Amino acid sequence: MEITVKPKANLLFSSYLLLFVIVGNQVGIGVMGFQRIIFREAGHDSWISVIIAGISTHLVAWVMLKTLDLYGSTDLYGIHEDVYGKWLGRIFSSLYIAFLLMGALIVLRNYIEVVQTWMFPDAPAWLFAVLLLFLMVYGVSGGIRVIVGFCFLSLFFTIWMLLLLIYPYQYAEWIYLSPVMEASMIQLLKGAKEMTLTIVGFEILYFIFPFLKEKEKAGRYTHLGLLLTTCCYLLIMIVSTIYYSEDQILQAIWTTFMMFNVIQLPFLERFEFVGISLWILAIMPNLLLYTWAATRGMKRIFQWKQKHALYLFTIVLFGVSIFLNTRLKINALNDFSGKFSFYIVYVYPFILFIIAWFRKWLKRKI
Amino acid sequence: MKRRIGAAGLSLFISATLVITGCAQQKILDKMGLSVVIGYDRVDKDRLLGTNVLHQFDPMASESVQIVASTAYTSKGTRDKSNLEMAKKAVSGQLRVTLYSEQLAKEGIINLVDTLARDPTIGARVFLAISKGRAHDILKHRYPEFGNIGTYMYQTISQNIEGESMISPTLHDFMHDYSSVGRDTILPYLEQRGKEGNELVISGAALFQQDRMVGVIPTKEVFYVKLLRDRFQAGSIEISIPREVLGKYMKVSQKKRGNDPIFLVLDTLSSSSTFKLVDKNRPQINTEIKITGRLQEVSEVVDLSKPEIIHKIEKAISQAMMNEGNKVIAKLQKLETDPIGFGEIYRSSVRHSNLTRDKWYEMYRDAKLNLKVEMTLVRTGVIE
């Protein structure tokens, strides 16, 4: 396997689109109900946890970019091979592929759960799985440029929903934010850690990096994207805190959608139905990017055809998502993946950077 | 290659769409009975009487509403039982008001409200209300002056909330206050009045301790609760001030009318309040309220062109509001209910208070809650 990747010029895309990729892959399923997990730790100071989590993403993304810069133009699979050698590298890369698939699985399964709870309680899960996976196969077959284009559209189709926070804001009670900083630093950090599931997604940087036209501009757009996501989350968190009482947040499963409950328009009694249906546009980038990165791994490590890997993964995703059929199992999956992602997304990049940097340094010495 | 996927994709997409629409439960308007109001009463120790007011979509029907009642052990149980005697399926997507009888409310209604909050087809803006007497009687009664009790009841409540004479009693507000540590719910209290009970009136507000009703206050006192709990933006009130305040400015003929108070009507009221926790061990909260408004009516002829008279009136109004307000607060303390949310003020000003409901009720009982009001008359209409 070649360590450096030099995709054909017609596959490259402009760097500013990286912003949409980062936001598209971060915003997905977590934002529908991240409030209560953080509230459990940090209470009404959760918004501070959101800021802390946001800042940490900048730090991690910076390290990721530094690691990638050491090689010029490569992806995580190339770095793994260089750092760990052929066999160990393959094992690490396979683990990462499993992690990526888990990301796709979580998005898929949680979205189906939301649709079933709110809109079609009597429609079977497999049907939605088939529909979503079909769209996913269609998108991933189109290649990276199609996926990036979709991310671009997806942001514009969903970001206006932030304006809807005006409705719950009418019921706002600012008193619920005070006293500020009642939670201890440890609680705030714990809360920030619970943000993991919601805020991850920017690790896609590792895979998409070689496809950028101007690689030196990657940092700027990555950080802009991360900032945008953090601002959205912060806004949602603050509005939820002042709209709900603490116990209400702790009970609500999909707090963000629950807030839509208060919107009543003359021509549309219940807005959630529109919101949830449109949310498919926000979760598709997750599905597409994660699966694409995973199939790309199969191609890079095992020289599979990307198409074959895609079919295999689709069947796996379908099977597992059918198996996870109750709220309890889904919660267990979310909890597990939250913990797992924390180490993979937050801790691992630092370790990888140190090893990679050390190797480069050794080579230069010799 | 790409085109093949496109064609196959399109056909699969269309078939999947067809299959999905076939799978989901259909909801055809003609086959639905839309619940607008649901009333609940206690029948015996553990059975409920649910009264469902449904909209009729049948142009041939002589009445625009249908009323179905049935008894069961749970609220959703009554709905299922009601379906047995209906040609159309009852659905709750258009539910506007749920009415609970006073008797039921005194036992606690959280399990009935919780099921509303749990149901995704019900919006957060459904109103909750308490009925004096049985909810069934109010809903079942044929009112000659209005045909559709369902929409009428909804509009009565919503009109009064918009006019700021009632505190918003939505499902969201109930659940919010119920799960807050330091604030209690307050809901409109409806009763039938007039000859043969042909009128439906909001006669006051029901006070709650969590989900248990503990008392009623008349609408006049609701004003003060609202003043302290929310902000006024366009409310109005009738208030009385003692006659001697304006005594020397009145004509001799008017002075002779004895000692009846003078009545004033203020409207376009807007208020802002500041709360200050002075003592946290034995809670003392000082509240300062600033109100501005327009003097709309005075029950006596008074020369309003002189600034000193206006100042006198302002002072008298402030004093009257302060007295009334403090009385209402004392009453609420006695009933051990905190619809104003002093508990939240305590919680938000004391770090690490770990306030719980029980703790707060204990403190609330003998907390010192002082109210100060400052009234400014902005204008007095088009003539002085």
Side-chain angles (χ1 to χ4, degrees):
Chain A
M1 184 175 93
E2 288 281 320
I3 286 164
T4 44
V5 196
K6 286 264 187 308
K8 285 183 213 135
N10 65 348
L11 286 176
L12 299 179
F13 60 88
S14 301
S15 295
Y16 76 90
L17 288 167
L18 188 59
L19 187 149
F20 299 95
V21 173
I22 297 283
V23 177
N25 208 33
Q26 274 191 296
V27 177
I29 220 74
V31 65
M32 297 196 226
F34 67 108
Q35 292 94 328
R36 69 165 178 165
I37 327 171
I38 300 141
F39 249 75
R40 248 182 249 149
E41 302 293 343
H44 58 261
D45 285 324
S46 294
W47 59 277
I48 304 175
S49 291
V50 175
I51 296 179
I52 295 175
I55 292 170
S56 70
T57 57
H58 286 286
L59 196 66
V60 176
W62 182 73
V63 170
M64 282 179 177
L65 284 168
K66 278 273 162 223
T67 322
L68 288 162
D69 274 344
L70 289 177
Y71 291 87
S73 175
T74 187
D75 55 9
L76 187 73
Y77 304 120
I79 299 176
H80 275 169
E81 173 129 341
D82 182 54
V83 170
Y84 304 117
K86 192 174 176 194
W87 287 104
L88 206 57
R90 279 187 177 185
I91 292 171
F92 272 86
S93 295
S94 306
L95 278 175
Y96 217 98
I97 291 175
F99 165 71
L100 292 168
L101 283 179
M102 193 169 71
L105 176 70
I106 284 198
V107 169
L108 180 72
R109 190 57 200 116
N110 276 294
Y111 185 68
I112 294 173
E113 172 76 3
V114 170
V115 173
Q116 280 186 315
T117 315
W118 293 76
M119 295 167 75
F120 301 108
D122 47 356
W126 62 264
L127 247 175
F128 295 111
V130 165
L131 198 69
L132 286 166
L133 287 172
F134 168 71
L135 278 174
M136 186 193 84
V137 170
Y138 185 48
V140 175
S141 316
I144 185 64
R145 284 176 63 94
V146 169
I147 299 174
V148 172
F150 190 83
C151 293
F152 180 80
L153 283 181
S154 135
L155 185 71
F156 284 105
F157 275 114
T158 46
I159 197 155
W160 62 271
M161 274 199 244
L162 276 180
L163 293 178
L164 295 169
L165 290 176
I166 288 173
Y167 286 90
Y169 180 77
Q170 289 165 344
Y171 287 78
E173 310 252 0
W174 286 96
I175 199 172
Y176 283 87
L177 276 181
S178 51
V180 177
M181 285 294 280
E182 198 179 21
S184 66
M185 205 58 213
I186 302 208
Q187 283 172 314
L188 290 177
L189 288 175
K190 271 186 182 166
K193 192 185 164 195
E194 294 294 334
M195 275 294 285
T196 310
L197 183 66
T198 315
I199 217 161
V200 293
F202 56 97
E203 69 275 14
I204 203 71
L205 204 60
Y206 270 145
F207 307 98
I208 215 150
F209 188 74
F211 292 87
L212 295 173
K213 244 183 216 151
E214 308 100 354
K215 303 211 168 28
E216 64 284 355
K217 283 189 187 162
R220 185 191 305 169
Y221 293 110
T222 307
H223 289 298
L224 266 180
L226 291 170
L227 188 67
L228 181 62
T229 316
T230 309
C231 289
C232 294
Y233 287 169
L234 184 63
L235 195 66
I236 294 172
M237 185 49 114
I238 289 179
V239 173
S240 317
T241 313
I242 57 183
Y243 174 68
Y244 283 119
S245 65
E246 200 157 326
D247 281 7
Q248 263 177 311
I249 292 193
L250 290 175
Q251 281 167 16
I253 303 175
W254 293 293
T255 321
T256 310
F257 281 153
M258 288 270 286
M259 281 198 291
F260 287 159
N261 221 324
V262 83
I263 303 172
Q264 216 171 42
L265 303 169
F267 54 91
L268 185 69
E269 188 75 13
R270 312 299 307 288
F271 184 80
E272 304 98 281
F273 293 85
V274 178
I276 291 169
S277 314
L278 265 178
W279 208 249
I280 196 174
L281 293 170
I283 64 140
M284 263 341 257
N286 290 253
L287 274 179
L288 294 174
L289 284 164
Y290 278 133
T291 323
W292 172 81
T295 56
R296 185 123 182 100
M298 295 305 275
K299 183 183 173 183
R300 295 263 291 138
I301 327 167
F302 302 112
Q303 283 81 43
W304 277 39
K305 274 200 157 180
Q306 239 173 312
K307 207 170 60 184
H308 296 163
L310 175 62
Y311 296 150
L312 174 74
F313 289 158
T314 308
I315 294 166
V316 170
L317 285 176
F318 181 76
V320 183
S321 71
I322 298 305
F323 164 74
L324 296 162
N325 54 357
T326 63
R327 183 75 234 152
L328 286 177
K329 287 184 197 166
I330 296 169
N331 270 346
L333 173 75
N334 290 351
D335 288 347
F336 170 72
S337 127
K339 286 193 188 96
F340 193 49
S341 321
F342 179 76
Y343 294 107
I344 291 216
V345 179
Y346 278 89
V347 180
Y348 183 57
F350 290 95
I351 300 173
L352 189 67
F353 174 68
I354 292 167
I355 302 176
W357 182 82
F358 189 65
R359 272 187 62 89
K360 287 264 154 178
W361 181 76
L362 266 187
K363 265 188 197 167
R364 218 177 298 146
K365 277 259 159 157
I366 298 162
Chain B
M1 172 62 214
K2 269 199 181 139
R3 266 175 83 189
R4 219 175 61 218
I5 288 179
L10 197 65
S11 52
L12 190 62
F13 188 80
I14 290 171
S15 52
T17 318
L18 287 175
V19 174
I20 287 226
T21 43
C23 269
Q25 195 180 11
Q26 293 183 341
K27 291 194 171 163
I28 298 167
L29 195 57
D30 289 356
K31 293 185 180 168
M32 295 283 136
L34 303 180
S35 300
V36 184
V37 178
I38 302 181
Y40 293 109
D41 295 293
R42 178 63 70 217
V43 185
D44 50 37
K45 215 175 130 253
D46 38 29
R47 271 191 313 160
L48 286 170
L49 169 66
T51 313
N52 222 327
V53 180
L54 301 141
H55 246 302
Q56 292 269 47
F57 279 103
D58 190 354
M60 308 290 279
S62 55
E63 296 264 338
S64 64
V65 287
Q66 187 189 3
I67 289 154
V68 185
S70 48
T71 54
Y73 294 97
T74 57
S75 62
K76 291 275 142 81
T78 63
R79 190 179 73 180
D80 290 345
K81 259 193 161 177
S82 295
N83 273 325
L84 293 175
E85 47 178 301
M86 275 169 21
K88 295 173 177 179
K89 189 178 188 306
V91 288
S92 38
Q94 283 287 331
L95 186 67
R96 291 302 157 92
V97 183
T98 53
L99 193 61
Y100 304 93
S101 74
E102 187 173 347
Q103 188 204 359
L104 190 61
K106 281 184 172 152
E107 298 167 16
I109 50 172
I110 184 58
N111 45 358
L112 293 170
V113 181
D114 183 66
T115 171
L116 298 179
R118 205 169 282 281
D119 189 342
T121 62
I122 293 173
R125 285 201 190 183
V126 172
F127 291 141
L128 310 184
I130 304 299
S131 70
K132 185 179 182 181
R134 292 209 310 165
H136 179 75
D137 297 338
I138 288 190
L139 297 175
K140 193 83 186 172
H141 188 81
R142 277 167 190 273
Y143 299 89
E145 283 169 31
F146 44 90
N148 189 335
I149 171 76
T151 25
Y152 185 82
M153 188 180 281
Y154 169 68
Q155 281 164 358
T156 309
I157 300 174
S158 82
Q159 184 262 111
N160 279 296
I161 291 160
E162 276 160 34
E164 299 196 335
S165 49
M166 214 1 101
I167 292 158
S168 169
T170 60
L171 178 57
H172 169 73
D173 290 305
F174 185 95
M175 290 310 284
H176 187 277
D177 294 344
Y178 174 76
S179 54
S180 291
V181 189
R183 203 161 84 164
D184 283 309
T185 313
I186 182 162
L187 298 179
Y189 186 71
L190 296 173
E191 76 180 89
Q192 273 178 304
R193 272 196 195 152
K195 214 170 71 189
E196 293 164 359
N198 280 342
E199 286 163 33
L200 187 65
V201 199
I202 302 179
S203 62
L207 299 168
F208 281 77
Q209 206 180 62
Q210 282 209 289
D211 69 320
R212 223 163 37 79
M213 180 174 158
V214 290
V216 187
I217 48 171
T219 38
K220 217 182 146 193
E221 292 174 12
V222 175
F223 172 83
Y224 295 98
V225 177
K226 173 146 175 93
L227 186 66
L228 285 152
R229 179 183 159 114
D230 302 336
R231 276 181 321 131
F232 271 100
Q233 281 161 322
S236 77
I237 191 198
E238 183 190 78
I239 197 166
S240 64
I241 56 173
R243 181 164 288 257
E244 55 267 24
V245 174
L246 297 175
K248 60 177 174 178
Y249 302 105
M250 281 183 211
K251 288 177 191 150
V252 184
S253 58
Q254 286 176 323
K255 273 190 195 164
K256 279 180 186 159
R257 281 205 208 157
N259 266 331
D260 301 346
I262 301 172
F263 288 93
L264 307 164
V265 175
L266 306 168
D267 75 344
T268 54
L269 289 171
S270 73
S271 71
S272 64
S273 43
T274 46
F275 296 89
K276 210 173 193 175
L277 182 72
V278 186
D279 183 358
K280 63 178 184 180
N281 298 322
R282 187 173 169 277
Q284 183 183 347
I285 297 172
N286 288 350
T287 312
E288 265 186 54
I289 294 184
K290 288 201 168 109
I291 315 177
T292 61
R294 181 176 72 165
L295 186 61
Q296 208 187 22
E297 190 180 331
V298 190
S299 64
E300 298 288 340
V301 184
V302 180
D303 183 5
L304 292 172
S305 60
K306 288 184 187 145
E308 52 182 301
I309 298 185
I310 298 280
H311 288 315
K312 281 244 154 116
I313 294 178
E314 280 174 349
K315 239 182 150 179
I317 294 173
S318 307
Q319 191 61 45
M321 280 189 175
M322 231 163 81
N323 294 344
E324 286 294 312
N326 278 323
K327 259 188 233 164
V328 173
I329 293 175
K331 190 171 176 181
L332 297 174
Q333 275 180 299
K334 218 170 160 193
L335 287 169
E336 284 188 34
T337 166
D338 184 10
I340 292 161
F342 285 113
E344 281 306 319
I345 289 150
Y346 183 85
R347 183 199 59 77
S348 65
S349 352
V350 179
R351 263 164 207 282
H352 308 292
S353 56
N354 292 326
L355 198 66
T356 58
R357 280 230 169 221
D358 296 335
K359 251 193 201 167
W360 174 242
Y361 283 136
E362 200 118 300
M363 287 194 272
Y364 181 62
R365 223 174 295 149
D366 29 43
K368 267 178 101 177
L369 308 166
N370 302 321
L371 173 66
K372 246 177 98 179
V373 183
E374 208 186 303
M375 169 83 209
T376 317
L377 289 175
V378 188
R379 55 186 72 87
T380 53
V382 285
I383 49 172
E384 283 196 319

